[in-house]
Structures are given as C-alpha cells and as structure tokens.
Amino acid sequence: MSMKSTMMQVPLSLNHFLERAKLYHPKVEIVSRMPDKSLRRHTYADFHRRAKGLAEALVKAGIKPGDRVATLMWNHYAHLECYFGIPAAGAVMHNLNLRLFPHDLAFIVNHAKDRFLIVDDVLLPLLAQFAEDVNFERIIVVPLTGKSVAQGHDDYETFIGKATGDFNCVEVDENAPCGMCYTSGTTGNPKGVVYSHRSTVLHTLVAALPGGINVSGTDTVLPVVPMFHANAWGLPFISTFVGAKQVFPGPHLDSDSLLDLYQRERVTVTGGVPTIWLSLLQTLRANPAKYDLVPGMRMLVGGSAAPESLFRGFDEFNLEVATAWGMTETSPLGTVSLLKPQMRSLSKEEQYGFRTKQGMAAPLVDIRLIGDDGEVPWDGSSVGEIQVRGPWVTGGYHDLPLNESSFTADGWLRTGDVGCIDSEGFLRLTDRTKDLIKSGGEWISSVELENAAMSHPAVAEAAAIGIYHPKWDERPILVVVKKAGADVSGDEIKAHLAKSVAKWWLPDAVEFVDSIPHGGTGKVSKKDLRDQFRDYKLADA
C-alpha cells in the first residue's frame, strides 16, 4: 500500500537566504578592504537592498532566466551582492578567474555565452587584454577607486541605484541554474560546472554544520580563497545563511594585510590554499608579538595537501588548521577532517596523523576508491582513484558530452585524485593521477615527497616531478624554494627525507629556484614546472 507524503513541496532557493538576511540579521556587519586599504562597512540590511536593486536593474536591462552574467572581481561587498542579486534576477552568476590567461578568459566567456559583465575598475586593464575577443552586451563597472566610469560602460552604483525597493525575486525551479565556475584547464580547455539553486542550498546547509565547516552567527568569516574560485568554497553563502559577520580582503592578500584584518575584525573562521598559510606562518614567526589574533581561529586549508609542519606551526600560536578536500565539480566540499570524539584522547602525534588527512566524506556525499582491479578496501594503505557522487556533485560539464574519462557508467565523478582511506573513513590524498611518478613499475607520491621536504626548517616550498630515466622510466627530482636567509644543501634535504620516505623514493636531484609556478587557483602548476625542466638530464641517465 503506497502512502502519499504530507510534506509541503517548497523549492530550495538562494532567494530565501537573501530575504532571511534582512529579516533576522539586518545589523550584522559586512566589511571590505578597498584598493586604497581603507575599510568599507555596511550591514546585511544594506546588502539586501543593494542585491535586490541589482536584480531589479538586471531584469529591467533585459536579463532573462538562465542568462549568464559574468563577474570579474576581487572579494568585496559588491561581489557578495552579485552572489545573490544575479540569481534573484533568475540569472546565472558566472565567476571569471582573474588569474587565468587572457586567452582562457576569452574562451570561457564565449563558451558560456555571457551576456553582461560586472567588473572592478581596478581590473579593467585585465579586461582590455581580451575585450576584443568577446562581445558583452553590457559592461557594468564597480567604482572601487571612486573614479568616474568611462563612457560606454555602466557605473555599478548608478545601475543599482534606480531600484524601486519593491522588486520581487524571480521565481525559478529549484533545479534551475544559479551559478557556474570553470575548471582551471590544467589539461585541455577549461570546463564549465553549473550549480543549481537546489545543489547550492544543500551544500550550504551541510557545510554550515559542525560536521562540515561549522559556522554560526557568532562567527566572523574571512575568505582568503577567491570568490571566483569554486564560490570561495561556499563561505559567502554559508555566512549569509547563518548571519555571520563577513570580512573581505579585496586585492590585498599579503600576510601583513591579512593578519591586520584578522586582528582588527576579530576573525574566527578563514579559508585558503597552503601557499597562503605557509607565507602567513613565516610572517607570524618573524613577528610573534605583533599580532593579537582570536585564540583558536579556525583556518580551513584546501586546494592541495598541506604538510604536517603547517599544522604544528600554527598550533604554536593557538590557531587551528583544518583540512578539507574538494574541487570545482563538487561545489566544492567533498571531505573535511574533524577529529572524532574518541580521537581527542589520542596523543598529539596520533592526532596529527588524522588532522593532516583530508578527512571523512561530508554528509550526503558518497566516496569510493577504484584501482586496477576494482574497488579497493579502506585499510589506510590501498590506493585508488577517488570517485564521488552526491546532490552537489556535477553530473556533467556545461555544453559538453558525457565522457568516460570524467564519469563512470554507474554515475560517479572520476576526480583524477588518488588516495587511500583508513578504517575510520579518513581520506588521505596521495596525488593527482597525472602527477604520480612511476619508477621501475612502482608509484611514488609527489605529494608525500613535497610534504616531507616542507617539514625541513629551511624549506619554504617544494614540488616533486618525474624526469625521464632510461632504466627506471621516471625518477623524481625535487624543486625547492629556500626560506629567506636560510642555507641548506641538496644532500641535507635528502638526509631529512630519508627519515620519513622509502630509500627508493629519494629524489635523484634537488634543484633550488627562486619561485615555483602556480596556477589560477593557487595550486602548484606541475604542468608549467614540467615544461621548465623538460630538457633536464639526470646524472646517471
């Protein structure tokens, strides 16, 4: 006998978050650092009025449901207004990654068929580098510097300032798109991931939970991760949902500027990639008494595996590093590393063993590892490709056919990441499939080599790549950036590595460089590094 549900069929929509901000959190602050380093302050009540004004202006300008409106912006108040104002118009917010090459940006804009662009005035020089290759119907400029907007472009403040104040958000189906981001295109052209209202709402609800990123209205949240990269890991949506104070760094992502904001605004939750935190840790160590930060400030690290030395270093300052893993395709939260209650009685050393892993799959996300012979066991040592599925995991790329290299026949996303899962369900990321080094038929994890190297006190950053070898197929070399003023030899680094990795994993050479290339999302660009060392010859090759 079937039974009919008695529950209301209320669509999941970001518009609910927008209205909730005004109703319940109107006086909560939103703080943005401007290009001149001044701080702009307003409230959720201001944000609600301005985001609704943007939505009304877009509809009056001819934007229809499903149309794409691109943003080329840093992290600040106006970008937050776009996060909610563009979907409130029924449209799709398309974040453009300002760190990509101009030709990639042109490809992305044309592939997405973006109609309008909202751009910071300080980024107009970047727009000029690809403007002739795209055709925006309208360009709306945010006057962050206070200068007048050039003729032919709309001034953002004027554009939203004509609102009547009585605009109703455009109602769309919960499965309608609300946003999209493109992958960084490390192999081939970038691919578009389209997020729906439903997927974004569910991602926000779970990510806000104690089992996720754990954010409440008592927090002050500062996303260092750019708002153009996987929606700043959902932090602007989460913060708006719970009514947390939001602090945005604008274009100032250097350690001194960030530490100043953390101190001034009493930040309790922040998020960024390992390179940001490594630099910040160096600054703190150089000036241990200069900054008074909130004890226990939670620092979410993602984008790539972080070395144990990072966790130990921030523990010295009573700041808590927490690891998460995900990607553009997973909205991005896939896993998060939070100690289970029984783990808190373990020794510090044992706790580090869990904290440095990428952690358990977030609620509603399924995860599995697939090796050459099928699914591999969760024993902490067997490795396989990480595959995931869930309500905020993409099932395909925008305007592209399904491809077996990205999706399995039974509906799982093939992430391209390689890892192992222990008996507690904690994932440990070991590499990207394309970054594994195969030596003599056996795999070497570049990630583990790099993390071991970065535990050396003289090493600021390290990256391992495979170099052709006639006997072993590939052998690893380690590319190292020394800390300022530090002096260390290649042999000393190898001796340090020998304490924690197998002898046959030790790099055949250590090369010192001034800097290591990074891609548009802040990760080390192994592709560029391999190009840089394309003609490198090993001594015994």
Side-chain angles (χ1 to χ4, degrees):
M1 180 178 176
S2 63
M3 181 178 288
K4 186 178 180 180
S5 171
T6 60
M7 293 296 102
M8 294 181 181
Q9 297 300 303
V10 178
L12 302 178
S13 171
L14 286 178
N15 297 336
H16 176 77
F17 293 179
L18 177 60
E19 300 299 347
R20 184 178 177 84
K22 177 191 175 185
L23 284 171
Y24 297 103
H25 313 294
K27 296 179 182 178
V28 175
E29 268 195 318
I30 296 167
V31 182
S32 300
R33 176 152 269 167
M34 307 297 281
D36 66 359
K37 289 209 142 187
S38 65
L39 296 179
R40 172 180 173 132
R41 297 178 185 275
H42 66 187
T43 65
Y44 274 119
D46 300 320
F47 151 75
H48 174 270
R49 172 178 50 81
R50 290 167 59 84
K52 292 282 287 284
L54 172 59
E56 182 176 348
L58 289 171
V59 171
K60 286 181 177 178
I63 287 294
K64 300 288 192 297
D67 286 347
R68 270 74 76 194
V69 177
T71 65
L72 188 62
M73 307 165 81
W74 288 105
N75 291 18
H76 52 64
Y77 66 97
H79 211 167
L80 182 66
E81 291 158 11
C82 290
Y83 264 53
F84 289 87
I86 294 172
V92 183
M93 179 185 66
H94 176 199
N95 305 121
L96 298 177
N97 185 338
L98 58 88
R99 291 182 178 140
L100 295 181
F101 291 112
H103 64 83
D104 281 332
L105 287 168
F107 169 84
I108 287 169
V109 167
N110 291 325
H111 189 264
K113 298 181 175 66
D114 295 328
R115 287 187 62 193
F116 288 12
L117 171 69
I118 304 176
V119 56
D120 291 346
D121 58 1
V122 294
L123 293 173
L124 287 172
L126 172 58
L127 173 61
Q129 295 181 49
F130 66 94
E132 292 186 0
D133 299 318
V134 297
N135 185 30
F136 292 112
E137 296 175 35
R138 230 164 153 164
I139 295 175
I140 303 155
V141 179
V142 182
L144 295 178
T145 62
K147 296 177 182 177
S148 59
V149 172
Q151 190 174 3
H153 295 166
D154 289 290
D155 180 293
Y156 179 82
E157 295 299 329
T158 303
F159 187 70
I160 71 172
K162 298 176 182 177
T164 62
D166 93 67
F167 173 80
N168 291 320
C169 297
V170 176
E171 292 185 13
V172 294
D173 185 88
E174 67 174 14
N175 291 303
C178 66
M180 69 186 304
C181 292
Y182 274 70
T183 62
S184 54
T186 51
T187 55
N189 286 322
K191 298 185 287 291
V193 178
V194 179
Y195 310 115
S196 68
H197 280 266
R198 179 179 186 272
S199 72
T200 306
V201 168
L202 289 173
H203 180 271
T204 301
L205 298 180
V206 171
L209 293 173
I213 299 173
N214 189 15
V215 181
S216 75
T218 62
D219 283 308
T220 295
V221 182
L222 190 158
V224 183
V225 55
M227 294 173 79
F228 54 74
H229 174 45
N231 292 330
W233 300 347
L235 288 171
F237 292 127
I238 297 165
S239 302
T240 303
F241 165 58
V242 300
K245 175 180 174 181
Q246 300 190 56
V247 181
F248 295 108
H252 304 290
L253 303 181
D254 60 282
S255 295
D256 284 317
S257 295
L258 290 173
L259 287 165
D260 176 68
L261 262 186
Y262 290 147
Q263 177 175 264
R264 285 175 183 268
E265 304 303 323
R266 312 312 293 160
V267 171
T268 60
V269 178
T270 184
V273 296
T275 48
I276 289 284
W277 301 143
L278 288 165
S279 173
L280 198 133
L281 181 58
Q282 288 182 50
T283 302
L284 274 178
R285 281 178 165 158
N287 307 277
K290 184 176 179 180
Y291 298 102
D292 172 28
L293 306 183
V294 173
M297 180 176 76
R298 284 171 286 139
M299 309 172 68
L300 193 67
V301 60
S304 55
E308 186 175 311
S309 58
L310 189 71
F311 294 78
R312 292 180 179 273
F314 280 113
D315 279 353
E316 296 170 16
F317 295 94
N318 194 17
L319 303 174
E320 183 182 338
V321 177
T323 302
W325 167 85
M327 51 205 305
T328 303
E329 289 89 337
T330 63
S331 294
L333 189 63
T335 69
V336 63
S337 188
L338 296 169
L339 294 179
K340 297 179 181 181
Q342 65 269 26
M343 293 175 179
R344 299 195 175 273
S345 61
L346 298 174
S347 69
K348 277 286 185 185
E349 296 302 315
E350 290 172 308
Q351 287 185 20
Y352 281 126
F354 287 107
R355 287 179 60 196
T356 54
K357 294 179 180 180
Q358 281 59 56
M360 297 179 292
L364 303 184
V365 173
D366 295 321
I367 189 167
R368 70 184 185 186
L369 303 176
I370 301 296
D372 292 338
D373 299 319
E375 194 162 352
V376 303
W378 292 14
D379 58 12
S381 59
S382 301
V383 299
E385 181 189 43
I386 304 165
Q387 297 183 0
V388 292
R389 66 181 179 188
W392 55 77
V393 177
T394 191
Y397 293 107
H398 174 62
D399 207 19
L400 289 175
L402 285 179
N403 189 311
E404 64 180 15
S405 65
S406 300
F407 301 95
T408 67
D410 57 345
W412 292 68
L413 171 71
R414 300 185 61 183
T415 68
D417 281 332
V418 176
C420 60
I421 299 177
D422 63 26
S423 58
E424 294 281 2
F426 274 53
L427 169 72
R428 179 168 62 87
L429 194 68
T430 59
D431 229 318
R432 293 286 292 167
T433 52
K434 61 180 180 294
D435 292 336
L436 285 165
I437 300 166
K438 195 167 191 177
S439 181
E442 299 291 339
W443 294 110
I444 296 173
S445 167
S446 64
V447 168
E448 292 191 33
L449 272 181
E450 292 156 3
N451 287 345
M454 284 191 283
S455 67
H456 191 287
V459 175
E461 192 171 16
I465 57 173
I467 297 294
Y468 170 74
H469 191 284
K471 179 179 180 181
W472 303 110
D473 187 24
E474 278 188 321
R475 287 297 300 158
I477 68 165
L478 191 69
V479 183
V480 171
V481 177
K482 298 178 187 177
K483 288 182 180 175
D487 186 26
V488 66
S489 69
D491 285 341
E492 288 173 320
I493 289 178
K494 287 183 184 181
H496 177 74
L497 290 173
K499 300 173 186 176
S500 55
V501 304
K503 184 177 180 180
W504 65 276
W505 277 33
L506 293 177
D508 282 24
V510 177
E511 294 293 330
F512 294 98
V513 296
D514 293 332
S515 64
I516 289 172
H518 292 81
T521 57
K523 300 178 186 178
V524 171
S525 175
K526 293 291 182 75
K527 177 178 179 292
D528 289 336
L529 200 61
R530 282 190 285 265
D531 286 344
Q532 184 178 332
F533 286 87
R534 182 174 53 244
D535 300 322
Y536 189 89
K537 299 293 183 186
L538 293 168
D540 66 339

